Amino acid sequence: MKISVGPAPSHWGRNKIESFYRELAQSPADYVYLGETICGCRSCFSPDFLGRICDEFTRAGKEVYASSLTLVTDEKQYRAFRDLAQRVQRIEINSPAFLGFARRYPAVTGIFLNVYNSAAADILAERKVKRIVLHPELGFQSVAIIAKRCTVDTEVVVHGHIPIAISAACQTARSLGRNGDGCGELCRRYPEGMVLEAGDRPLFRIEGPQTLSAATYCLVEYLPQLAKAGVNIVRVLPQWNHTGRIVRIYRDVLEYRRDCRDAAEELKAISPTGLCNGWFLGKAGWIYESPNMPPASTEIRSRSCVLPDGRLQKESNRRHYDANNFAREDWRRNLSSNDIILEVNQLVEMMNRNPQFIKQVTEFKGITLVLSATDTGREFTIELSKKGVRVCPYTDEPFDVKIRATEQVLWAVISGQMDADAAFFAGKASVSGSVVTAYRLKNRFLSLLQRHLAHRLEIEDKSVVK
Amino acid sequence: MTHKSKIQLNVPAGNLPSLMAAVDAGADSVYIGFRSPTNLRNLPGLNFSVEEASKAVQYAHRHGIRVYVTVNTYPMDHQLEECFRAVDDADDIGADAVIVADLAVLEYARSRHPRLDIHLSCVAGAADPGAVRFYREEFGVSCIIIPRVLSLEQIAALRQQTDVLLEVMVFGVLCANYDGRCCLSSFITGTSAHSIGACAPAEFVRFEETKGGHMTLELNGITINKFVATQERTYPTPCKGKYYNPVVGRRLHTFQEPCCLNALPLLPELVAAGVDIVKIEGRQRSAVYVRLVTSIWREAIDALNRSESFDHRKSENVALESVLEGIASSLGTLSGG
């Protein structure tokens, strides 16, 4: 297996780039990628500069590729890469803008070309692409299938802050209260990006318009697996520090000079924001699990309440009957003509008489929806079962979903006068419980109800006309 | 290249009532998806069975409206068959086009279903003449849905270089990142939005109500946002989240303010730029949304076609804003800058 070093992902400035590539020329990397892939505003890679580095690497016996921008939006960017490709004669295509170039130069496609299956890889092979860099989002299973089935070489990212997203807008400038235009290359001040935390956990790392993992992705312990799967090249992403050292560690492991457990320890020690490898294992990207150690404590926290089929465990409706709620006996007596419970009840009783509706409702096997009116304090329950729909004034039973809003909003959403999402966005309605069930009720049950309602109104209209 | 034909309105439908609302309110075409992980709105309870989709096509065609079927995931090997079947089904039910992103699905549609038009999904990310040429020549796509990264000026420049139909997203959810290049949700949940077809899948979302009606939004156990009682809320997608940035010492909407795209004020400029189709986002929304948004855009397009003025600030047109996510509407990248 060969080792490649990806294009420098951040704005490091010319001096750092020079010293970085000088160090890299001495490293045991086989392939080197050069060029600005992230932001068209950055200026440290002039064609002359890149050409010179390219020559140095060639002399050092390394194969050099010119990497394209990921997002090409104007003719100038297109021409700049066309000229660079001409100079370097080998390319990494990161934007679909340059897919046609594969017929002219030996070409590799980068991760954001989104090759997710072996058939797509073969289609690129037919169009002269000779190697595919697989998206790190693809776990080992997909990597192994693609490597086995497709006719091109495969390259897998094994180390570094992995790319998660790229935007047309600059996150660094935004975070500093500036517009991306005329940014003065602010990102240069943060050569390792800015870490973003969610709930005290370092999660993302923003750098110009790209988002990377806060932690360092590290697959050193899985190198034997990758080699066995037939992956041809492993890619190390340039780090602000230690890139040459990292390449040597990977080389030593690949050549059986070093134990991968020991290598992982050393890599961990030089990764200040920790390691991650979840994507490779088919899990959330931020998770790190070592094959040699029990699963780390970073395991998903709140999943305990998610059932295997994806439903949330039912929450108990802890709000018991109180003075604000109507007792079951009082309930019917207290109804006024514009009472929402009466309206909903009439609506569902009418629907229940429609065998077509009952048939369609049976797909909701025993769902309990609680509607809670914030203005009157009343709650009532809609139960969906194979017998149809039932409305009752309150319940102590566990519920699947609870929606809170004023009576007016609740009725508007149910009867199809107000869009449920719009009510939510405006802060007029809140939802708790299982979000999956809430989506199903919104997308399916409400539309069923409204369709039958509309149908009935249509019939009534016609009978009025008669 | 000259374009004389009138601009068309392409409208989303997540179920039959929405499709009927779209047709009745004046859409020129409606786009739908099957109830499977083959399209990027694979949400619980949403979308069409093949039978329902067939009814949808019949209804729309009866009214002279075209139907496009989205098969725009990036399937992994084991999901390919299901995507191919979705393309087969789209042809069987008589849909007019499929909206595709993945190379294997493009090739399948091109070689097996010559009757179907192929529209390139925005998640393919074709934003420049080179990419457009590639997809046009290699797969015969007839329409490019432009990713939400270009300004009007750039769209007009693209128009000069191609005769393919250009479709622009003009209303609805605004993704913060370059279309098809965002794995924020996948990084947090471990579920690939590209191949499963759902960003922030419902089973990972949790709204936790705290004191005073405050609400915490968790995705896979990670808090990505907190809403104050009176504040507007957003979808539980990570790009709308608030993250603590130690450099600036604050929690920020790092990727995007909670806003939505509404390019209605730019309609004349879109027409002048040579855009062929304007697209409304929102298959996950209700028929109420579809009817409202379609009718206002229809009215605006008709007024423009008659060379009449259209006041997008008029009260009923401002109603458009009320169905949007977040605090304000935005022109996205269309306005440039």
Side-chain angles (χ1 to χ4, degrees):
Chain A
M1 223 166 16
K2 306 266 192 200
I3 300 180
S4 73
V5 175
S10 310
H11 195 347
W12 284 353
R14 218 182 153 102
N15 293 342
K16 171 71 183 180
I17 290 280
E18 290 233 55
S19 63
F20 171 79
Y21 282 118
R22 209 169 302 130
E23 183 197 348
L24 205 59
Q26 310 303 316
S27 80
D30 303 291
Y31 302 120
V32 177
Y33 297 85
L34 297 172
E36 178 58 56
T37 59
I38 302 304
C39 176
C41 305
R42 294 175 186 170
S43 56
C44 57
F45 294 109
S46 72
D48 279 355
F49 176 67
L50 284 173
R52 193 156 46 78
I53 294 177
C54 171
D55 295 341
E56 279 172 31
F57 277 123
T58 311
R59 274 197 297 278
K62 303 191 190 308
E63 211 169 277
V64 184
Y65 291 79
S67 292
S68 83
L69 277 172
T70 302
L71 172 58
V72 175
T73 52
D74 68 43
E75 184 71 27
K76 209 175 103 200
Q77 295 165 344
Y78 182 85
R79 281 202 303 266
F81 184 68
R82 192 189 57 196
D83 297 345
L84 184 63
Q86 172 80 28
R87 174 76 174 75
V88 178
Q89 290 288 313
R90 282 197 197 86
I91 56 171
E92 181 192 41
I93 302 169
N94 291 307
S95 157
F98 303 113
L99 279 169
F101 282 31
R103 295 194 190 277
R104 277 185 256 167
Y105 309 104
V108 179
T109 56
I111 67 156
F112 281 125
L113 266 287
N114 290 354
V115 175
Y116 275 52
N117 57 68
S118 55
D122 283 342
I123 286 164
L124 288 176
E126 284 162 20
R127 284 150 184 88
K128 306 289 178 214
V129 170
K130 64 174 225 171
R131 186 159 78 234
I132 312 275
V133 188
L134 296 173
H135 200 299
E137 188 195 33
L138 296 172
F140 175 69
Q141 280 183 336
S142 284
V143 167
I145 287 171
I146 295 173
K148 188 176 160 206
R149 290 186 186 163
C150 77
T151 52
V152 279
D153 285 356
T154 49
E155 180 168 340
V156 169
V157 178
V158 291
H159 198 91
H161 300 294
I162 33 169
I164 298 173
I166 187 156
S167 165
C170 177
Q171 263 79 260
T172 304
R174 256 187 68 80
S175 298
L176 298 169
R178 295 274 291 275
N179 190 314
D181 273 354
C183 59
E185 304 189 22
L186 274 172
C187 53
R188 221 178 130 165
R189 291 188 216 157
Y190 307 94
E192 294 185 87
M194 294 175 178
V195 169
L196 299 183
E197 295 172 9
D200 297 334
R201 174 203 307 280
L203 188 66
F204 299 130
R205 185 180 287 266
I206 49 167
E207 199 283 320
Q210 70 178 325
T211 306
L212 306 162
S213 59
T216 308
Y217 190 67
C218 175
L219 297 186
V220 75
E221 295 151 294
Y222 298 92
L223 284 181
Q225 241 176 293
L226 285 168
K228 206 173 155 198
V231 170
N232 309 87
I233 296 172
V234 291
R235 174 182 284 207
V236 170
L237 301 174
Q239 307 295 295
W240 180 248
N241 291 313
H242 312 299
T243 307
R245 180 174 164 190
I246 293 164
V247 173
R248 265 186 290 278
I249 293 172
Y250 274 83
R251 172 64 79 200
D252 288 347
V253 172
L254 279 179
E255 291 177 0
Y256 306 106
R257 285 194 297 267
R258 191 159 181 188
D259 175 53
C260 52
R261 212 172 315 180
D262 175 51
E265 283 306 316
E266 184 176 347
L267 290 167
K268 198 171 186 174
I270 56 174
S271 305
T273 31
L275 301 180
C276 66
N277 60 13
W279 264 349
F280 187 73
L281 306 171
K283 302 183 176 187
W286 49 268
I287 290 172
Y288 175 69
E289 274 178 23
S290 164
N292 306 305
M293 284 177 265
S297 60
T298 49
E299 203 26 290
I300 307 164
R301 278 176 291 169
S302 75
R303 286 293 290 284
S304 57
C305 56
V306 180
L307 300 171
D309 61 354
R311 282 184 300 128
L312 277 179
Q313 211 146 24
K314 285 192 178 186
E315 288 176 31
S316 169
N317 181 359
R318 280 181 293 274
R319 189 168 160 181
H320 291 279
Y321 166 73
D322 61 44
N324 284 333
N325 282 346
F326 289 77
R328 199 176 281 266
E329 303 74 44
D330 293 341
W331 173 53
R332 286 190 186 278
R333 254 185 287 141
N334 280 300
L335 292 174
S336 61
S337 60
N338 58 358
D339 189 289
I340 180 180
I341 304 180
L342 178 66
E343 290 196 62
V344 174
N345 199 35
Q346 281 178 346
L347 181 62
V348 301
E349 275 180 15
M350 178 183 84
M351 295 309 164
N352 281 337
R353 287 196 291 273
N354 181 336
Q356 189 66 22
F357 179 73
I358 299 292
K359 207 177 127 198
Q360 285 163 326
V361 162
T362 52
E363 73 180 74
F364 302 92
K365 295 186 187 82
I367 288 178
T368 306
L369 165 68
V370 172
L371 298 177
S372 174
T374 49
D375 49 350
T376 58
R378 294 188 301 163
E379 288 189 346
F380 63 103
T381 302
I382 301 182
E383 287 173 4
L384 288 76
S385 68
K386 60 183 177 200
K387 289 180 200 151
V389 184
R390 198 167 74 96
V391 178
C392 44
Y394 69 91
T395 181
D396 288 343
E397 297 294 305
F399 62 80
D400 296 280
V401 179
K402 184 192 253 190
I403 296 169
R404 299 174 76 248
T406 62
E407 294 204 354
Q408 196 191 359
V409 169
L410 285 173
W411 175 246
V413 169
I414 289 170
S415 60
Q417 297 159 51
M418 187 187 270
D419 177 76
D421 292 20
F424 174 77
F425 296 148
K428 288 179 178 166
S430 316
V431 58
S432 53
S434 160
V435 177
V436 174
T437 309
Y439 275 34
R440 286 181 66 209
L441 289 172
K442 175 185 79 127
N443 293 330
R444 192 102 180 108
F445 175 65
L446 277 186
S447 82
L448 273 182
L449 198 66
Q450 287 155 16
R451 193 159 99 214
H452 287 275
L453 180 66
H455 184 61
R456 191 196 69 131
L457 292 177
E458 205 175 296
I459 294 167
E460 277 179 1
D461 284 351
K462 279 175 193 157
S463 58
V464 170
V465 173
K466 276 174 195 169
Chain B
M1 285 159 210
T2 54
H3 278 263
K4 293 266 164 61
S5 56
K6 286 170 182 166
I7 201 161
Q8 290 179 35
L9 181 60
N10 189 17
V11 174
N15 49 38
L16 214 44
S18 293
L19 178 123
M20 291 158 90
V23 169
D24 300 345
D28 293 304
S29 56
V30 183
Y31 64 100
I32 64 173
F34 291 120
R35 203 174 300 147
S36 60
T38 57
N39 65 84
L40 297 180
R41 287 287 183 276
N42 174 27
L43 305 174
L46 199 72
N47 290 324
F48 295 71
S49 65
V50 178
E51 196 187 353
E52 287 164 346
S54 174
K55 276 186 202 161
V57 171
Q58 285 168 27
Y59 184 85
H61 282 181
R62 228 177 12 248
H63 293 79
I65 306 303
R66 291 163 64 83
V67 177
Y68 309 142
V69 175
T70 47
V71 190
N72 61 347
T73 49
Y74 283 104
M76 299 188 190
D77 274 71
H78 69 277
Q79 299 170 308
L80 268 176
E81 275 307 315
E82 196 166 17
C83 285
F84 291 164
R85 207 163 53 237
V87 177
D88 294 342
D89 290 339
D91 198 356
D92 286 349
I93 61 171
D96 299 279
V98 279
I99 304 171
V100 182
D102 181 75
L103 293 170
V105 183
L106 278 168
E107 176 62 25
Y108 184 84
R110 184 197 66 79
S111 60
R112 306 286 185 91
H113 296 283
R115 185 193 69 80
L116 284 171
D117 280 348
I118 304 175
H119 293 191
L120 190 70
S121 170
C122 62
V123 292
D128 76 289
V132 170
R133 206 159 42 237
F134 176 80
Y135 285 106
R136 182 114 170 94
E137 287 171 9
E138 302 290 335
F139 304 101
V141 304
S142 58
C143 172
I144 303 276
I145 302 158
I146 298 176
R148 286 159 288 182
V149 292
L150 295 187
S151 66
L152 262 171
E153 207 180 321
Q154 288 164 332
I155 292 170
L158 182 58
R159 169 79 293 161
Q160 298 309 312
Q161 309 236 6
T162 180
D163 59 356
V164 73
L165 293 175
L166 294 180
E167 178 165 330
V168 175
M169 314 271 277
V170 292
F171 191 87
V173 163
L174 199 53
C175 289
N177 286 310
Y178 178 18
D179 311 59
R181 276 89 185 140
C182 178
C183 297
L184 296 179
S185 168
S186 167
F187 190 74
I188 293 179
T189 66
T191 303
S192 163
H194 291 164
S195 58
I196 296 298
C199 178
E203 61 266 37
F204 294 99
V205 178
R206 225 175 131 68
F207 294 105
E208 198 84 57
E209 253 185 272
T210 49
K211 273 181 292 182
H214 293 204
M215 194 186 258
T216 303
L217 166 55
E218 282 186 0
L219 191 59
N220 197 15
I222 294 180
T223 303
I224 61 166
N225 216 338
K226 284 175 185 159
F227 304 114
V228 196
T230 51
Q231 197 183 39
E232 283 78 4
R233 290 106 184 238
T234 61
Y235 282 124
T237 52
C239 66
K240 306 286 194 295
K242 271 182 124 173
Y243 303 93
Y244 180 72
N245 182 333
V247 173
V248 292
R250 273 188 303 141
R251 283 174 70 241
L252 292 172
H253 283 113
T254 308
F255 299 100
Q256 196 179 55
E257 292 305 315
C259 66
C260 258
L261 178 63
N262 180 9
L264 192 63
L266 294 180
L267 182 61
E269 287 85 348
L270 287 160
V271 173
V275 171
D276 300 284
I277 305 171
V278 287
K279 178 175 203 156
I280 309 292
E281 182 279 341
R283 280 193 284 137
Q284 73 283 11
R285 305 297 292 269
S286 68
V288 190
Y289 166 96
V290 172
R291 189 175 296 109
L292 175 77
V293 179
T294 308
S295 58
I296 292 177
W297 275 87
R298 176 79 273 156
E299 203 185 318
I301 292 171
D302 287 348
L304 196 69
N305 287 341
R306 292 191 303 262
S307 307
E308 288 169 11
S309 66
F310 179 82
D311 185 3
H312 61 83
R313 284 176 298 258
K314 209 167 65 180
S315 61
E316 51 268 44
N317 303 333
V318 171
L320 263 190
E321 308 268 313
S322 72
V323 295
L324 287 174
E325 175 189 35
I327 44 169
S329 69
S330 156
L331 298 173
T333 57
L334 288 171
S335 58

